[in-house]
Amino acid sequence: MLITVARYLLPALAGFALAWAIQGWRLEAAAQAHAAKLAAIEREREAERRHAAEAARARLEAAQAKADAAVAAQARLETRLKEEQARVKAALYALPSRPCLGSEHLGLLAQSPGIRLGPVPQAPGGALGPAAGPSADPAHPAPEGRGAWGEGLTATDTAVTGWMIDAAALYETCRGRIEALRQWAEQSD
C-alpha cells in the first residue's frame, strides 16, 4: 500500500512542485516587466523635467535680456532728457526776466499738496536765487501769516519756467519708465 500511495503521491507532489516553480517564474517575469515599465516611465519623467527646466531657463534668460534692454533704453532716455533740460534752461536763463509770482502766491504753492518748491533757480542778471528766501522745508516753517518764501519775495517768469521744465522732465522720466515696464510685460507674455 505504501508503494501505491507513493506511486500516486510522488507524481502529484512533483506536479505541484512544477506548477509552483512555473508560477514563481511567471511572477518573477511579471515583476521584472513591471520594474522595466516603471524605469521607462521614470526616464520619461526625468526627460520631461529636464526639458521643462531648460525651457524655464530659456524664458528667464529672454526675460532678463528684455529687462536689460528696457533698463538701457530708459537710461538713454533719461540722459537725453537731462541734456535737453540743460540746453533749454541755458537758453531760458539767457532771456530777460521779470517778476511773476509774489510771496503770497509762493506761500500758497509751497502749502499745496503734491507741490514741493525748492529754492528759486539762480539766474544771471539779478533774478532771485537760492539765497533769496527760506525753502519750503517743513522742518523750518515760515512765521505765522507769512508764506514759506517770506514777505516781499517774488519768483521771476524765468524761475517759474525753470520749475515747469523740471516738472516736465520728471513727468517724461516717469512716463518713460511706465512705458518701458508696459513693453517689457507685453514681451514677457
Side-chain angles (χ1 to χ4, degrees):
M1 172 123 165
L2 190 55
I3 293 183
T4 307
V5 170
R7 195 159 121 213
Y8 291 112
L9 188 57
L10 283 178
L13 286 176
F16 179 73
L18 182 61
W20 187 266
I22 291 173
Q23 183 64 18
W25 293 330
R26 282 185 183 168
L27 288 175
E28 187 176 327
Q32 288 175 352
H34 184 69
K37 285 180 185 178
L38 287 177
I41 291 171
E42 188 59 37
R43 284 191 302 273
E44 287 176 13
R45 285 186 179 172
E46 182 60 33
E48 288 172 359
R49 282 191 291 266
R50 192 172 39 254
H51 178 69
E54 289 171 1
R57 182 184 49 78
R59 285 191 309 271
L60 179 63
E61 288 174 355
Q64 185 63 47
K66 290 174 187 172
D68 291 345
V71 167
Q74 182 61 29
R76 287 190 302 273
L77 173 67
E78 288 183 22
T79 299
R80 184 182 60 78
L81 286 173
K82 285 179 184 177
E83 290 170 353
E84 187 67 17
Q85 182 181 12
R87 184 190 65 75
V88 170
K89 278 189 170 184
L92 172 69
Y93 292 137
L95 298 174
S97 186
R98 60 185 180 267
C100 180
L101 295 176
S103 61
E104 296 84 14
H105 295 93
L106 292 173
L108 286 173
L109 281 175
Q111 297 169 17
S112 298
I115 297 178
R116 193 183 97 225
L117 293 180
V120 177
Q122 180 68 46
L128 293 178
S135 71
D137 183 2
H140 302 92
E144 186 65 37
R146 295 178 58 179
W149 284 76
E151 300 260 343
L153 296 177
T154 61
T156 63
D157 54 358
T158 302
V160 172
T161 305
W163 289 333
M164 292 163 71
I165 291 168
D166 291 344
L170 288 173
Y171 171 81
E172 282 301 314
T173 299
C174 184
R175 189 197 58 74
R177 288 177 181 171
I178 290 171
E179 179 64 19
L181 283 172
R182 186 191 63 74
Q183 287 177 359
W184 177 81
E186 283 179 357
Q187 292 174 355
S188 297
D189 289 339

